[in-house]
Amino acid sequence: MSIRDDFPILNRKVNGESLVYLDNAATTQKPQIVITAMNDYYQNSNANVHRAVHTLAGEATEGYEACRNELKNWFNAGRVIITSGTTESINLVAHAWARANLVAGDAVILTEMEHHSDIVPWQLLAQDIGIELRFVSLNEDLTLDLDAFEASLVGAKLVACVHTSNVLGIRNPIEKIIKMSHANGAKVLLDSAQAVPHEKIDFKDLDADFLACSAHKMCGPTGIGCLLVKEDSFNQMQPFMGGGDMIQTVTISGSTYQENEHKFEAGTPRIAEGVGWAAALKWLSKIDLHSEHLRLLEIARWTAQQIKDIPGMTVFGRHADGDSAVVSFIHDSVHPEDMARLLDARGIAIRTGHHCAQPLMQRLGVEGTMRVSFYLYNNQAEAELLIETMKGIVERFS
Amino acid sequence: MSIRDDFPILNRKVNGESLVYLDNAATTQKPQIVITAMNDYYQNSNANVHRAVHTLAGEATEGYEACRNELKNWFNAGRVIITSGTTESINLVAHAWARANLVAGDAVILTEMEHHSDIVPWQLLAQDIGIELRFVSLNEDLTLDLDAFEASLVGAKLVACVHTSNVLGIRNPIEKIIKMSHANGAKVLLDSAQAVPHEKIDFKDLDADFLACSAHKMCGPTGIGCLLVKEDSFNQMQPFMGGGDMIQTVTISGSTYQENEHKFEAGTPRIAEGVGWAAALKWLSKIDLHSEHLRLLEIARWTAQQIKDIPGMTVFGRHADGDSAVVSFIHDSVHPEDMARLLDARGIAIRTGHHCAQPLMQRLGVEGTMRVSFYLYNNQAEAELLIETMKGIVERFS
Amino acid sequence: MTWPPALQEVIDEFSEIEDAMERLEVLMDFAEEVDELSEEEWSDENLVKGCQSRAHVVLEKRDNTIWMRAAADSKMVQGLMGILTIAVNGGTVEQVLELTPDFVLEMKVLNTLTPSRSNGFRTMFDMIQKTVKEMK
Amino acid sequence: MTWPPALQEVIDEFSEIEDAMERLEVLMDFAEEVDELSEEEWSDENLVKGCQSRAHVVLEKRDNTIWMRAAADSKMVQGLMGILTIAVNGGTVEQVLELTPDFVLEMKVLNTLTPSRSNGFRTMFDMIQKTVKEMK
Ligand SMILES: Cc1ncc(COP(=O)(O)O)c(C=O)c1O
Ligand SMILES: Cc1ncc(COP(=O)(O)O)c(C=O)c1O
């Protein structure tokens, strides 16, 4: 059995051609086992999880909390708050931690390669409580300017930094960033949406204060993600959303809150999604992520080189060890959207646009790029088909 | 084909007995068509919805936005913001509308029968910006004291009120409440989590300003809900969570936001969940909700009467026309939890505890209740089995 | 719905094409049907917001008929503009307002009309009708 | 794991019962094994938080062995306390700390051990071990 056999969607035909799905940085496909787990949940165990006494409620509770346990094991993390995704996780840090622990004038450090989800929450907070935002610039080769980063740290209370860029595939030197930040008394929030699918992370070892990620980018369902939090920061967090399940007692005159992660999980949780994510983690744990990472990176390097050799093409990113298997590029006469539609006519799915990283687009001097991104079920043959098809398109339409 | 045939979970055995699921106010079961719709999505069309150019992304976008369209039709509503559920919808009103439009001293009116999800967000906001919370008390018969309500309206800017109580089944006179509130210049937010499964609501007709509900309580998936908003209130709402998809442009110096509902839907949305909810609404639209409501209410009335006839039992609620098919009760010597476990031994699922309504529990003078709640697939025979089993338990164990 | 004859002709032309890429190629050929804007007219005022490509549209009313000029940096978007030109040009306000955007689905050149998150065609279409409505 | 002999006997007793309701009936019979608290001892200090029922537990160490007394308003929770009493009473600190809570799953009297959102058994169990740990 190959990995591909686990993914039913790969049997899909698009415009009469076999699907070649190269849009994995946007979202990944799901192995059958994940789909089946959610199916089974709905067909056999669906119930709400609060105060489970009856059998189904017990099963639902076990299923949902198993997700948290899987995540704790997967990441070697003590505190795992389940959210609807990376975006909500980052907003949770802004509301539950930053709002309670930062004051006007405190600096939050961002980078020029952040995803909007790690920019806008801080801009909204800045408007509200007057924190200062500092954007660290990039070097010529589009890596983070660590000197500029170091200089920015004076007076910084939080560094919110993308772990691996969704546009460039560049993995930031987060280990260094964490050390430098801590040495300057700043906490670190990692936006690991793109890193988590490609590298196994040991949260305790890494020593970051917060880490945000989404299930849907690592073979799990939509609608669920998590925030890992270090114990001391966890204890500094104030409730964000209020509601059922996050409380200990509610009276008309005031309420007390849960002491564990439930404090930040108001309302009926994402139960089926938790069951699905747990199944995805179990599936992933059978795969040697590191050797897959090397395989995919090789394909990305080959693809980047081939694209560079097509007349009129410019490729962004460096594809160094540890970078993710993402290739962003533009052509000097074929518009990204046209390229994507033409590739789609041959069943090849790529993404175009600003990839929710407009400040980076400005830095690159473009409005948007084409982007191909590889994941576990992709192979060299698909990359070759992509290149061949693109060459034909450029010849015919440029 | 009966309705029951559409629900695969009803074939489930619990402790060797056929499942009798009477915990519908906590969450409802899902018809196969809903499960299949999500399955199909994951097996054939899964993709991220931002800036869809390739075929799958187009299908995913259509699938997700179809949910919004179904909701607009279902509710006759102009603005439908998709959230993770009722709880997030209410928190969204607190953060996006109330925080921007209320000032210290403004009053928000709640009731003694609110769910924690419509209490705690306001307590958190009160701590933050100093609004005043007023809880309207209940009459002897546990209906809302409308005189007290009217008196509370002086200086009120918002009335946040449960549409139908999850504990008592009592439907509040929301039409009157809306008229009285508007006459006093207060907006109205309805917590319709329990109403929506039992009555078809015309949002424009109703004239409420906000309405919150969850998919999982109306045959839809977990992890998704919505907030309906009247146009003028919509225009007063400020962004809540920041991130991908809710912006128009992002620069380092500031951002501009979408003008439609996407402004409040940061990050990758609940795509599969949207597909599932749309399927649930389509399934529900084939059912005559009103006649089903009458059928279920009859069962609830019969059940309430039978329970009252069991020695030591007290029933809360009145089961008037329009009330939902929910029966809450206590026994003077059998603990609710023990009753629930004993019923579970016979395959009967009921809920116990405070039902996330501790202020109401205090008003009732109890720590918690037992609660049975009926939905479309329930029938009189199940109610009879419940009563017979409970009688046996009370005889044996009290 | 029944389409204006000139548009129906275009739809028929597309319906004969089996290959998806060829269909897009023909679409791009329609870029030439557009009455192009001058460089100065690529202004923010005429910008179609929400497009991935830069797209500008100008509408004029002469003797109760509508005429559009446009330009886009994507050849396919300009192709869509070309088809819109065929659909719109010379039509009355009423005729333009009667149009629905789903002819592009019939032509199989787009796979979704959901606004804002998808391509900007729907946004462009809506903007044209809104502008024309104001010319009533 | 291997259970203390007295506890193993209880597990064996449960494993012979086929009917779920009968199992719960037997569980409730174990309520009598509990050394009950006096009314004054139903205090906040001894309260097991997170239970649906009111549950109070007091632990004492005598000659290096652990003894518990308890009370609950749910007969089943008190039954669970009875079984815990059998498991704990007279054991050394080390023996009590070695226990894991899953014997109740083996007995099929509970269907989940996930803390906080489920029944309070897990909370009660954890609280006992925590208290005993502090007695080391
Ligand atoms: C009346 C009422 N309000 C709010 C909620 C919260 O809904 P959810 O948990 O889906 O956010 C519920 C359900 O538990 C409810 O019954
Ligand atoms: C780097 C990065 N951060 C954040 C996000 C946001 O993730 P989500 O949309 O799942 O909340 C994404 C994905 O789009 C991403 O690539």
Side-chain angles (χ1 to χ4, degrees):
Chain A
M1 284 280 289
S2 86
I3 287 179
R4 289 181 68 83
D5 295 332
D6 288 350
F7 289 81
I9 206 168
L10 299 180
N11 298 318
R12 164 77 196 256
K13 299 278 178 219
V14 168
N15 288 315
E17 310 282 338
S18 289
L19 170 67
V20 176
Y21 185 77
L22 301 177
D23 190 17
N24 293 289
T27 199
T28 59
Q29 299 303 338
K30 322 304 170 202
Q32 183 59 46
I33 214 170
V34 169
I35 304 173
T36 302
M38 291 188 282
N39 238 10
D40 283 354
Y41 166 76
Y42 280 127
Q43 292 189 336
N44 293 303
S45 306
N46 176 64
N48 211 327
V49 296
H50 326 251
R51 319 226 143 214
V53 173
H54 62 76
T55 298
L56 299 190
E59 291 175 7
T61 305
E62 292 273 316
Y64 177 69
E65 292 295 336
C67 178
R68 196 191 314 278
N69 287 337
E70 291 284 337
L71 288 166
K72 285 187 178 179
N73 291 336
W74 181 265
F75 288 117
N76 188 25
R79 293 291 184 180
V80 177
I81 301 169
I82 297 180
T83 66
S84 66
T86 305
T87 302
E88 188 179 302
S89 295
I90 295 172
N91 280 276
L92 177 59
V93 177
H95 282 268
W97 184 82
R99 192 180 276 276
N101 292 281
L102 302 185
V103 294
D106 283 346
V108 171
I109 311 301
L110 306 167
T111 81
E112 271 187 358
M113 59 167 105
E114 292 314 306
H115 187 279
H116 293 167
S117 291
D118 197 34
I119 299 175
V120 186
W122 306 112
Q123 292 182 331
L124 291 170
L125 190 67
Q127 277 168 29
D128 228 35
I129 67 166
I131 52 171
E132 179 197 344
L133 304 184
R134 297 180 191 157
F135 285 81
V136 179
S137 57
L138 309 184
N139 294 315
E140 268 296 290
D141 68 351
L142 303 177
T143 57
L144 202 64
D145 182 339
L146 284 182
D147 293 335
F149 173 65
E150 176 138 53
S152 78
L153 278 174
V154 182
K157 290 285 158 57
L158 178 71
V159 173
C161 171
V162 70
H163 184 150
T164 297
S165 160
N166 62 317
V167 176
L168 307 167
I170 291 178
R171 182 192 192 276
N172 281 315
I174 53 160
E175 293 80 0
K176 237 188 242 175
I177 288 171
I178 292 167
K179 281 220 181 71
M180 289 164 72
S181 304
H182 285 176
N184 278 273
K187 289 191 187 278
V188 178
L189 158 63
L190 292 177
D191 170 358
S192 300
Q194 296 294 336
V196 155
H198 289 277
E199 56 177 292
K200 192 88 192 285
I201 292 159
D202 185 316
F203 186 65
K204 291 213 175 111
D205 219 46
L206 191 60
D207 201 33
D209 303 279
F210 306 95
L211 184 150
C213 67
S214 300
H216 71 91
K217 294 193 199 277
M218 56 191 299
C219 296
T222 59
I224 188 166
C226 73
L227 179 72
L228 313 182
V229 191
K230 218 161 112 175
E231 192 65 19
D232 63 330
S233 302
F234 185 84
N235 294 327
Q236 294 175 339
M237 287 170 72
Q238 294 304 309
F240 171 30
M241 293 206 245
D245 254 27
M246 52 74 76
I247 58 92
Q248 207 132 60
T249 54
V250 173
T251 67
I252 282 178
S253 53
S255 300
T256 61
Y257 307 107
Q258 297 260 17
E259 280 160 19
N260 60 11
E261 290 94 329
H262 297 151
K263 181 174 180 177
F264 305 102
E265 296 173 9
T268 299
R270 295 116 182 126
I271 311 169
E273 291 81 351
V275 168
W277 198 4
L281 291 166
K282 268 189 215 135
W283 183 86
L284 279 170
S285 68
K286 293 196 186 114
I287 285 174
D288 179 350
L289 260 195
H290 185 64
S291 70
E292 281 298 315
H293 170 69
L294 296 177
R295 182 180 72 81
L296 296 170
L297 189 57
E298 259 334 295
I299 296 177
R301 280 171 176 154
W302 181 87
T303 304
Q305 190 52 54
Q306 292 288 314
I307 293 176
K308 275 182 200 155
D309 290 347
I310 298 174
M313 287 284 194
T314 306
V315 173
F316 304 105
R318 55 176 192 175
H319 306 100
D321 293 353
D323 289 359
S324 68
V326 169
V327 187
S328 271
F329 54 100
I330 53 165
H331 187 269
D332 59 16
S333 70
V334 182
H335 192 277
E337 196 176 332
D338 294 351
M339 176 65 86
R341 281 189 204 288
L342 289 161
L343 287 171
D344 185 60
R346 291 289 174 262
I348 303 171
I350 73 163
R351 180 101 356 194
T352 59
H354 56 54
H355 313 294
C356 296
Q358 286 184 335
L360 178 57
M361 294 298 118
Q362 257 179 300
R363 166 66 179 75
L364 299 178
V366 300
E367 302 234 0
T369 74
M370 294 165 266
R371 181 185 73 185
V372 303
S373 49
F374 300 93
Y375 205 44
L376 303 169
Y377 31 78
N378 291 127
N379 56 37
Q380 175 71 16
E382 292 178 309
E384 286 169 15
L385 186 67
L386 166 77
I387 294 299
E388 195 187 311
T389 313
M390 278 212 297
K391 275 186 182 159
I393 289 169
V394 169
E395 264 171 39
R396 219 156 133 196
F397 299 103
S398 73
Chain B
M1 285 281 289
S2 86
I3 287 179
R4 287 181 69 84
D5 295 333
D6 287 351
F7 290 81
I9 205 169
L10 298 180
N11 299 319
R12 165 77 196 257
K13 299 277 179 220
V14 168
N15 288 315
E17 309 283 337
S18 289
L19 169 65
V20 176
Y21 185 77
L22 301 178
D23 190 17
N24 294 288
T27 200
T28 59
Q29 299 302 337
K30 323 303 171 200
Q32 183 59 47
I33 215 169
V34 169
I35 304 172
T36 302
M38 291 188 281
N39 234 17
D40 283 354
Y41 166 76
Y42 280 127
Q43 292 189 335
N44 294 303
S45 306
N46 176 64
N48 211 327
V49 296
H50 326 249
R51 319 226 142 214
V53 174
H54 63 74
T55 298
L56 298 191
E59 291 175 6
T61 305
E62 292 272 316
Y64 177 69
E65 292 294 336
C67 178
R68 196 191 313 279
N69 287 337
E70 291 284 338
L71 288 166
K72 285 188 179 180
N73 290 337
W74 181 265
F75 288 115
N76 188 27
R79 295 289 185 181
V80 177
I81 302 168
I82 297 179
T83 67
S84 66
T86 306
T87 302
E88 189 180 302
S89 295
I90 295 172
N91 279 277
L92 177 59
V93 177
H95 281 270
W97 184 81
R99 190 179 278 277
N101 292 280
L102 301 186
V103 295
D106 283 346
V108 171
I109 312 301
L110 307 167
T111 81
E112 271 187 359
M113 61 167 105
E114 291 314 305
H115 188 278
H116 293 167
S117 292
D118 197 34
I119 298 175
V120 186
W122 306 111
Q123 292 182 330
L124 290 170
L125 190 67
Q127 277 167 29
D128 227 35
I129 66 167
I131 52 171
E132 179 197 344
L133 305 184
R134 297 180 191 157
F135 285 82
V136 180
S137 57
L138 309 184
N139 295 314
E140 268 296 289
D141 67 351
L142 304 176
T143 57
L144 202 64
D145 182 338
L146 285 182
D147 292 334
F149 173 65
E150 176 138 53
S152 78
L153 279 174
V154 182
K157 289 285 158 56
L158 177 71
V159 174
C161 172
V162 70
H163 184 151
T164 297
S165 161
N166 62 317
V167 175
L168 307 167
I170 291 178
R171 181 192 192 276
N172 282 315
I174 52 159
E175 292 79 1
K176 239 188 240 174
I177 288 171
I178 293 167
K179 281 218 181 73
M180 289 163 72
S181 304
H182 285 176
N184 278 272
K187 289 191 187 276
V188 177
L189 158 63
L190 293 177
D191 170 358
S192 300
Q194 296 293 337
V196 155
H198 290 277
E199 56 177 292
K200 192 88 192 285
I201 292 159
D202 184 317
F203 186 65
K204 291 211 175 113
D205 218 47
L206 192 59
D207 201 33
D209 303 279
F210 306 95
L211 184 150
C213 67
S214 299
H216 71 92
K217 294 194 200 275
M218 57 190 299
C219 296
T222 60
I224 189 166
C226 72
L227 179 72
L228 313 182
V229 191
K230 219 162 111 174
E231 191 66 20
D232 62 330
S233 302
F234 185 84
N235 294 326
Q236 295 175 338
M237 286 170 75
Q238 294 304 309
F240 171 30
M241 293 207 244
D245 254 29
M246 52 75 75
I247 58 91
Q248 205 131 61
T249 56
V250 173
T251 68
I252 283 178
S253 53
S255 300
T256 61
Y257 307 107
Q258 298 260 17
E259 281 160 17
N260 60 11
E261 290 94 329
H262 297 152
K263 181 174 181 177
F264 305 102
E265 296 173 11
T268 300
R270 296 113 181 128
I271 311 170
E273 291 82 351
V275 169
W277 199 3
L281 290 166
K282 267 188 216 136
W283 182 86
L284 279 171
S285 68
K286 293 198 187 113
I287 285 173
D288 180 351
L289 260 195
H290 185 63
S291 70
E292 282 297 316
H293 169 69
L294 296 178
R295 182 179 71 82
L296 296 170
L297 189 57
E298 259 334 295
I299 298 177
R301 280 171 176 155
W302 180 87
T303 304
Q305 190 53 54
Q306 292 289 313
I307 294 177
K308 276 182 199 155
D309 290 347
I310 299 174
M313 287 285 194
T314 307
V315 173
F316 305 106
R318 55 175 192 175
H319 307 98
D321 294 352
D323 289 359
S324 68
V326 168
V327 187
S328 271
F329 54 99
I330 54 166
H331 187 268
D332 59 15
S333 70
V334 182
H335 192 276
E337 196 176 333
D338 294 351
M339 176 65 86
R341 282 189 203 289
L342 289 161
L343 288 171
D344 185 62
R346 290 289 174 262
I348 303 171
I350 73 162
R351 180 101 355 194
T352 60
H354 56 53
H355 314 294
C356 295
Q358 285 184 336
L360 177 58
M361 294 300 118
Q362 256 179 301
R363 166 66 178 76
L364 299 179
V366 301
E367 302 234 359
T369 74
M370 296 165 264
R371 181 186 72 184
V372 303
S373 49
F374 299 94
Y375 205 44
L376 303 169
Y377 30 80
N378 291 128
N379 55 38
Q380 175 71 15
E382 292 178 309
E384 285 169 15
L385 186 66
L386 166 78
I387 294 298
E388 195 188 311
T389 313
M390 278 210 297
K391 276 185 182 162
I393 290 169
V394 168
E395 263 171 40
R396 220 157 131 197
F397 299 103
S398 72
Chain C
M1 76 170 278
T2 53
W3 305 107
L7 184 58
Q8 185 60 52
E9 228 171 82
V10 179
I11 295 173
D12 293 344
E13 184 179 345
F14 275 100
S15 75
E16 277 160 29
I17 311 171
E18 301 246 316
D19 181 70
M21 199 180 280
E22 203 182 311
R23 212 152 39 222
L24 295 175
E25 200 169 348
V26 172
L27 173 61
M28 290 195 273
D29 290 343
F30 277 93
E32 284 161 30
E33 300 290 326
V34 178
D35 297 315
E36 284 228 27
L37 296 174
S38 63
E39 283 283 324
E40 307 92 72
E41 286 173 305
W42 288 61
S43 69
D44 271 7
E45 203 183 324
N46 312 318
L47 187 72
V48 183
K49 276 181 205 157
C51 258
Q52 279 202 38
S53 58
R54 266 185 197 283
H56 299 262
V57 176
V58 171
L59 288 150
E60 280 150 0
K61 187 170 154 187
R62 293 184 232 138
D63 308 332
N64 203 33
T65 56
I66 302 297
W67 301 87
M68 75 175 258
R69 290 179 307 121
D73 57 0
S74 148
K75 220 166 167 184
M76 254 176 243
V77 173
Q78 187 146 339
L80 290 166
M81 287 169 163
I83 294 171
L84 275 172
T85 303
I86 292 170
V88 164
N89 268 12
T92 62
V93 168
E94 290 68 29
Q95 282 167 340
V96 173
L97 293 182
E98 257 171 27
L99 283 175
T100 59
D102 33 329
F103 57 85
V104 291
L105 298 182
E106 245 180 87
M107 291 171 186
K108 294 199 194 151
V109 295
L110 287 185
N111 50 44
T112 169
L113 280 174
T114 305
S116 170
R117 305 221 190 194
S118 70
N119 62 82
F121 174 74
R122 178 62 185 266
T123 321
M124 185 158 75
F125 185 89
D126 290 348
M127 172 191 168
I128 289 173
Q129 286 198 329
K130 193 165 164 253
T131 312
V132 169
K133 207 171 183 178
E134 284 160 9
M135 293 175 171
K136 243 186 176 169
Chain D
M1 76 170 277
T2 54
W3 305 106
L7 184 57
Q8 186 61 52
E9 228 171 81
V10 179
I11 295 173
D12 293 344
E13 185 180 345
F14 275 100
S15 74
E16 277 161 28
I17 311 171
E18 301 245 316
D19 181 70
M21 200 181 279
E22 204 182 311
R23 212 152 38 223
L24 294 175
E25 200 169 347
V26 172
L27 173 61
M28 290 195 272
D29 289 344
F30 278 93
E32 285 161 29
E33 300 290 325
V34 178
D35 296 316
E36 285 228 28
L37 296 175
S38 63
E39 283 283 325
E40 308 91 73
E41 286 173 304
W42 287 61
S43 69
D44 273 5
E45 205 182 323
N46 312 317
L47 187 73
V48 183
K49 276 180 204 156
C51 259
Q52 278 201 37
S53 58
R54 268 185 195 283
H56 299 263
V57 176
V58 171
L59 288 149
E60 281 150 359
K61 187 171 154 187
R62 293 183 232 139
D63 308 331
N64 204 33
T65 55
I66 301 298
W67 301 86
M68 76 175 257
R69 291 180 306 122
D73 57 1
S74 147
K75 219 165 168 184
M76 254 176 243
V77 172
Q78 186 146 339
L80 290 166
M81 287 169 163
I83 295 172
L84 274 171
T85 303
I86 292 171
V88 163
N89 267 13
T92 62
V93 169
E94 289 68 30
Q95 282 166 340
V96 173
L97 293 181
E98 257 171 28
L99 282 175
T100 58
D102 32 329
F103 55 86
V104 290
L105 298 183
E106 246 179 86
M107 292 172 186
K108 294 198 193 151
V109 294
L110 287 186
N111 50 44
T112 171
L113 280 175
T114 306
S116 169
R117 304 220 192 196
S118 71
N119 61 82
F121 174 75
R122 178 61 184 268
T123 321
M124 185 158 76
F125 185 90
D126 291 349
M127 172 191 168
I128 289 174
Q129 285 198 329
K130 193 164 165 254
T131 313
V132 168
K133 206 169 182 178
E134 285 159 8
M135 293 175 170
K136 243 185 177 169

